[in-house]
Amino acid sequence: MNYKFFSAYFSFSKTHRTGLVVLLILIVVLQTIYFFVDFSSPIKTNSEKEKWLAFQTEIDSLKELARISGSRLYPFNPNYISDYKGYKLGMSVQEIDRLLAYRKQNKFVNSADEFQKVTGMSDSLLKTMVSYFKFPDWVNQKRKSYSNSALDTFVTFSKKKKINIQDINTAGSKDLEKIFGIGEVTAKRILSFKERFGAFVSMEQLNDIWGLSAEVVANLQEHFEIKTLTGIKKLDINNASITELAQFPYFKYALAKQIVIYRSMNGPIVETADLTKIKGMPNDKIKIIALYLDF
C-alpha cells in the first residue's frame, strides 16, 4: 500500500493547524449557543383578538342552549306527524307508514287508543307521547257529546257534513284562500301548478306542490275534490321531442332522454305498463302521469 499517497493529504503546516483549531472552537461555540439560546420570536398577545375569542365562546354556548331548548316537544296533532318527526319520537318506519296509509284514505285518528290501533305501536312508546297529543276542538266536543246524549252526537256530525265540497279544477284564488293556512301567494302557487297540467287528475298532486304542509293538504282534500277533467294538457309521448318531454312537470331532462331511447329500441309506448320499463320513471306517480299522456 502506498502510504505516501495518503500522507500528502494529512500533512498540515503550522498555519493550517491553527486554522483548524480555530474552526473547531468556533463550531463548538456556535453549537452551544444554538442549544442553550431560544431564538423563537415571542408570542405577541392581541387584546382585541382575545376579546373576540371570549365573545365567540359566549355565542357558542348560547347556540347550544338554543339547540337544547329547541328540541323540546310541544303539543301536536298526531294525524300530521311527518316521517322525520315520527322518527325523532321513536316510531319505527312501519308504524309511520301505517299512519300515512291510513291518512291517504282521508281518515283521521281521534284518540290515543285509535292512534295506537292504526300504528300498532307499543304501550310504552304511546305512554311517552300521549301527553303531547292535541286533537282539534271539534274532536273534543264530539267526545263530550258521546258522554252527554245521542242527540248531541247527531248535531255534531250534522254540522260536519255541512261542508260544501267544491271542484278544485274550477276553484279560484279567493276560494282557496278560505282554507286555513293558505294565503294569496300560496293560492297563486296552487293555481300555477294546476295550469301546467291544465287540470288536476288526483287530489294527491297537492303533495307535489312546494310549501304545502300535510295539514294544509288535508284541509284542501276536505273541502275540494276532482269533479271535472276538462282542459287537461295531453302529452304525445311517442312523438314528443326530448325538449318537449323535459317540459312535462313529472319528467326531468335525463328521464326524457331515457324515454326517447326506449322508443327507439322497443317501439311505441302503448300502455301504462310500458312506462315501468323506462329507467328513472317515478313508479309511485305512474297512474297520475298516464292520465296526462297520449299513447
Side-chain angles (χ1 to χ4, degrees):
M1 182 177 294
N2 189 357
Y3 292 102
K4 292 182 179 180
F5 176 78
F6 291 101
S7 63
Y9 291 96
F10 293 97
S11 298
F12 302 107
S13 64
K14 183 177 181 181
T15 304
H16 289 162
R17 287 194 296 272
T18 302
L20 286 174
V21 171
V22 172
L23 179 62
L24 182 60
I25 292 172
L26 183 62
I27 290 173
V28 172
V29 171
L30 291 176
Q31 287 291 334
T32 303
I33 294 173
Y34 179 78
F35 183 78
F36 288 102
V37 178
D38 184 9
F39 290 97
S40 60
S41 58
I43 299 174
K44 297 181 180 180
T45 57
N46 190 327
S47 59
E48 191 69 22
K49 184 177 180 181
E50 289 180 354
K51 289 180 181 179
W52 277 106
L53 288 174
F55 185 62
Q56 185 62 45
T57 303
E58 184 178 352
I59 292 175
D60 293 340
S61 64
L62 290 174
K63 285 183 177 179
E64 181 64 17
L65 181 61
R67 184 188 68 81
I68 295 173
S69 61
S71 63
R72 293 176 185 168
L73 189 62
Y74 296 95
F76 62 93
N77 188 335
N79 284 289
Y80 303 111
I81 291 179
S82 63
D83 290 346
Y84 176 75
K85 188 167 186 177
Y87 169 76
K88 295 292 286 183
L89 290 170
M91 295 177 66
S92 65
V93 175
Q94 293 77 14
E95 290 169 349
I96 297 172
D97 288 344
R98 292 189 198 106
L99 178 62
L100 295 179
Y102 186 79
R103 287 291 294 109
K104 282 185 177 180
Q105 301 174 34
N106 245 356
K107 297 180 179 179
F108 293 83
V109 293
N110 297 319
S111 67
D113 292 337
E114 192 174 354
F115 181 82
Q116 184 181 26
K117 183 178 179 181
V118 171
T119 60
M121 67 167 46
S122 63
D123 293 337
S124 58
L125 178 57
L126 180 66
K127 187 177 180 180
T128 62
M129 298 170 56
V130 69
S131 60
Y132 296 99
F133 284 180
K134 180 176 176 60
F135 294 100
D137 293 336
W138 68 266
V139 173
N140 297 326
Q141 292 172 3
K142 186 176 71 173
R143 289 178 189 161
K144 292 178 182 179
S145 67
Y146 279 122
S147 62
N148 292 334
S149 67
L151 179 60
D152 292 335
T153 302
F154 174 77
V155 171
T156 302
F157 280 101
S158 63
K159 286 182 179 179
K160 188 180 177 184
K161 290 181 180 178
K162 287 182 180 179
I163 296 176
N164 181 25
I165 306 298
Q166 293 181 265
D167 183 1
I168 195 167
N169 283 324
T170 60
S173 180
K174 297 299 182 183
D175 298 318
L176 296 171
E177 289 176 33
K178 293 178 183 178
I179 304 301
F180 180 77
I182 295 181
E184 183 180 353
V185 175
T186 305
K188 288 182 179 179
R189 190 183 303 135
I190 295 172
L191 294 175
S192 175
F193 185 85
K194 182 190 71 173
E195 182 59 29
R196 297 172 70 186
F197 296 96
F200 289 112
V201 296
S202 171
M203 293 298 289
E204 291 184 11
Q205 290 178 271
L206 296 173
N207 293 303
D208 300 325
I209 301 175
W210 178 82
L212 294 189
S213 66
E215 188 169 2
V216 171
V217 171
N219 289 337
L220 284 168
Q221 291 174 340
E222 189 175 358
H223 291 80
F224 295 92
E225 62 181 23
I226 307 294
K227 292 185 177 181
T228 60
L229 293 174
T230 56
I232 294 178
K233 297 177 181 179
K234 291 280 189 174
L235 175 66
D236 187 352
I237 195 168
N238 286 310
N239 295 301
S241 65
I242 293 180
T243 302
E244 291 171 332
L245 290 169
Q247 291 175 353
F248 183 64
Y250 288 117
F251 293 162
K252 301 292 186 182
Y253 184 80
L255 178 55
K257 289 179 63 177
Q258 290 298 324
I259 293 172
V260 173
I261 292 172
Y262 180 88
R263 288 187 331 208
S264 62
M265 296 180 65
N266 301 280
I269 299 169
V270 297
E271 59 182 353
T272 304
D274 292 337
L275 297 174
T276 63
K277 303 173 185 177
I278 300 174
K279 182 180 178 182
M281 183 67 66
N283 293 329
D284 59 327
K285 300 185 187 299
I286 280 183
K287 290 183 179 179
I288 293 175
I289 292 173
L291 294 174
Y292 290 107
L293 303 179
D294 270 334
F295 296 107

